[in-house]
Amino acid sequence: MSDFNVNIFKARRAEVAKRMEDNSILVLSSSKLVSRNNDTTFPFRQDSNFYYLTGFQEPDSILTVQSDGRSVLFCRKKNSELEKWDGFMWGPDAAKDHFGFDEAHDISEINEILPNLIRGQKTLNALVGKSLEFDQKVTSWINKANSMERHQGNIDLKNFSNVLGSMRLIKDRNEIDLIRKSCEIAAISHRSVMQKAKVGMTEYDLETMYLNEFKMNGSREASYTPIIAGGKRACILHYIDNNQNIKDGELVLVDAGCEYGMYASDITRTYPINGKFTGEQRAIYDVVLEAHNAACHAAKVGNPCTDPQKTSEKSLSQGLKDIGLLKGSLDEILEKNLYREFYYHKIGHWMGLDVHDDCPYSIDGKEILFEDDMVMTIEPGIYVNDTADVDARWKGIGVRIENDILVKSDGYENLTAKVPVQAEEIEQLMSE
Ligand code: GLY
Ligand code: MN
Ligand code: MN
């Protein structure tokens, strides 16, 4: 708590108010505590949008921001009995002062107080469609407020997702510092485990080592469940079983990132468990690396945010053709989407509070253009499944390379550059 800076969150609420139309109110919910099974819960993770505007880390809370700049928090009442079990609770009075709200109330009073806050407003903004339970509550608050103001127009309900998402798209100084640190921790952790990885280790041995490095380097949590996929399991994009042996001669694909100050990092490296790429592994690896580098250069201020995607499709198609995995002309491969047999995900995603940051890629049919201080992952891959119509020596090879890129007007910055990415560098590191 010591480095909590209330001004960051107050400034964001002021900016949100500025972006709202006159006579409107934003209503935003925190995360809930999620039951794991009887009497146990998953670790609490605050909703990223709620955190972005409050810095407040408790469940069962609601924030309102009005277009005139006033903000109100509803949170749990302080309860010393409950604190003996679950730890410190702010309670409305202390939360109001510490987090800089204009008012704060006990959440149990929300059904009486909130309709009064929203009555007479023209528009209620909310992140619609994320939770049926919250949507139903919003509808009931609007109905109650409308019934109090029979002689005025009804309140419009508007989805605020693009407004908040657009704000979150451009990272402020504080966010860039946290993302930089998250990326640094993830990168030195990848480097360290890559150096220690050996034949005989299982996927979960490596998983333990990555999670341990994250924690030892200052990150308590992974930003998503790591993917540690030996051999052909690398072709399963969301493989998280991480419970198999990795055989001598196989590659292991590791997609693992951490969270620091609520901000994500997201790195993938693919390396030979015995420290030396085979000819086929290396050929595919170099095609992916070339596509990765080309796509990074396409993440340029002023370019549409889909340019890295198109660049990666072209580069991978040419590479797949060069090594004989695809036949025909480059135009034909691209027109018929033949590369999708081997490259069946997108090039990357926005990253910030969420690993897949809750930000738009287009608004009203217009693609978002890259601007300074956006953060995107670049993560091309080639996956040769057993079902592919190719020579057996290629089958079961899956390679992805993923780095996190800060877009700047004078070029991109690779925030995860501390992990080796050239095949020779990886082999060198693994032999040390
Ligand atoms: N780790 C999830 C992703 O790369 O998108
Ligand atoms: Mn990613
Ligand atoms: Mn990833």
Side-chain angles (χ1 to χ4, degrees):
M1 267 299 158
S2 57
D3 55 0
F4 175 76
N5 181 351
V6 69
N7 293 325
I8 291 170
F9 299 96
K10 282 175 81 168
R12 290 181 190 154
R13 293 198 291 273
E15 178 62 27
V16 152
K18 246 171 65 185
R19 293 185 187 210
M20 285 159 58
E21 57 188 309
D22 287 347
N23 292 321
S24 65
I25 185 167
L26 167 67
V27 182
L28 210 59
S29 173
S30 71
S31 299
K32 291 162 79 96
L33 204 52
V34 180
S35 163
R36 184 174 191 277
N37 54 20
N38 195 24
D39 290 341
T40 66
T41 59
F42 286 104
F44 178 72
R45 170 60 164 74
Q46 186 57 284
D47 175 81
S48 295
N49 286 306
F50 189 88
Y51 179 80
Y52 182 72
L53 293 182
T54 63
F56 190 63
Q57 290 279 23
E58 291 189 18
D60 302 329
S61 311
I62 299 274
L63 167 73
T64 68
V65 181
Q66 288 165 224
S67 48
D68 64 7
R70 281 185 71 73
S71 63
V72 178
L73 178 76
F74 295 84
C75 67
R76 302 173 306 177
K77 193 162 94 185
K78 203 159 172 68
N79 178 336
S80 53
E81 277 309 302
L82 205 56
E83 283 182 304
K84 289 183 194 164
W85 289 80
D86 296 335
F88 176 77
M89 304 160 77
W90 281 97
D93 292 343
K96 171 179 170 298
D97 293 342
H98 188 80
F99 295 90
F101 300 106
D102 296 295
E103 287 174 39
H105 300 280
D106 178 352
I107 187 77
S108 69
E109 294 170 359
I110 194 162
N111 293 334
E112 285 70 53
I113 298 173
L114 190 54
N116 274 302
L117 277 179
I118 64 178
R119 69 189 284 192
Q121 301 280 355
K122 188 172 171 307
T123 308
L124 187 148
N125 298 297
L127 299 176
V128 183
K130 287 186 184 280
S131 147
L132 184 58
E133 189 189 340
F134 183 66
D135 288 354
Q136 284 170 343
K137 280 187 191 161
V138 166
T139 308
S140 77
W141 294 325
I142 289 178
N143 288 341
K144 194 161 174 186
N146 281 339
S147 72
M148 293 168 170
E149 295 283 350
R150 291 231 177 270
H151 296 279
Q152 291 198 5
N154 283 342
I155 297 165
D156 286 332
L157 172 59
K158 272 206 184 152
N159 193 349
F160 203 62
S161 171
N162 281 342
V163 182
L164 205 45
S166 299
M167 224 176 117
R168 282 179 54 187
L169 207 39
I170 311 289
K171 273 62 183 178
D172 61 35
R173 285 300 105 206
N174 174 260
E175 294 186 286
I176 290 174
D177 288 349
L178 294 170
I179 294 170
R180 195 182 287 289
K181 178 78 180 169
S182 180
C183 287
E184 159 119 6
I185 293 172
I188 58 178
S189 300
H190 267 263
R191 187 185 168 92
S192 172
V193 180
M194 202 186 269
Q195 197 170 19
K196 293 176 195 140
K198 298 221 169 352
V199 173
M201 288 179 175
T202 62
E203 292 168 348
Y204 52 89
D205 288 331
L206 292 186
E207 182 178 53
T208 310
M209 291 158 76
Y210 280 91
L211 294 175
N212 187 56
E213 286 286 341
F214 291 162
K215 287 176 203 274
M216 297 291 284
N217 287 301
S219 153
R220 173 75 208 288
E221 300 285 343
S223 47
Y224 53 91
T225 307
I227 296 166
I228 319 277
K232 67 180 186 181
R233 293 175 296 285
C235 303
I236 306 167
L237 298 181
H238 290 167
Y239 176 80
I240 50 170
D241 289 349
N242 304 348
N243 61 2
Q244 300 294 307
N245 297 320
I246 307 163
K247 295 197 203 100
D248 192 2
E250 285 184 335
L251 293 174
V252 59
L253 180 156
V254 178
D255 185 343
C258 65
E259 202 168 89
Y260 182 82
M262 298 289 282
Y263 283 80
S265 46
D266 184 8
I267 300 180
T268 307
R269 286 293 183 273
T270 311
Y271 50 94
I273 193 68
N274 66 12
K276 186 93 188 107
F277 286 90
T278 66
E280 287 77 15
Q281 290 168 350
R282 175 68 191 264
I284 289 181
Y285 190 89
D286 285 347
V287 169
V288 176
L289 183 57
E290 184 154 345
H292 167 272
N293 295 343
C296 286
H297 286 292
K300 204 168 153 188
V301 169
N303 281 2
C305 70
T306 48
D307 270 18
Q309 176 66 34
K310 292 192 188 113
T311 302
S312 69
E313 288 168 5
K314 205 162 163 185
S315 177
L316 287 175
S317 295
Q318 181 64 52
L320 285 161
K321 182 171 144 61
D322 291 345
I323 62 175
L325 286 177
L326 282 176
K327 311 239 176 304
S329 71
L330 182 60
D331 285 347
E332 188 188 0
I333 291 169
L334 288 167
E335 265 159 36
K336 295 188 178 161
N337 297 326
L338 300 181
Y339 59 85
R340 284 197 193 157
E341 165 91 27
F342 304 106
Y343 175 41
Y344 37 89
H345 58 73
K346 293 282 188 233
I347 186 66
H349 46 84
W350 305 122
M351 192 188 79
L353 281 165
D354 300 315
V355 62
H356 288 199
D357 222 17
D358 194 3
C359 304
Y361 294 84
S362 69
I363 294 181
D364 297 333
K366 283 203 204 99
E367 282 177 84
I368 300 284
L369 304 184
F370 283 115
E371 289 180 46
D372 266 292
D373 299 332
M374 293 178 169
V375 177
M376 182 178 252
T377 68
I378 296 292
E379 48 181 306
I382 290 179
Y383 313 92
V384 189
N385 281 275
D386 287 341
T387 48
D389 183 18
V390 297
D391 205 280
R393 67 201 167 98
W394 298 103
K395 291 188 178 183
I397 299 178
V399 172
R400 179 163 66 256
I401 299 171
E402 176 173 31
N403 284 303
D404 303 336
I405 299 302
L406 173 65
V407 179
K408 300 299 297 176
S409 46
D410 55 355
Y412 72 88
E413 180 185 347
N414 178 3
L415 299 174
T416 43
K418 283 199 176 160
V419 209
V421 71
Q422 302 281 349
E424 294 88 356
E425 287 177 318
I426 291 175
E427 289 180 345
Q428 175 61 34
L429 179 71
M430 294 183 75
S431 70
E432 282 168 10

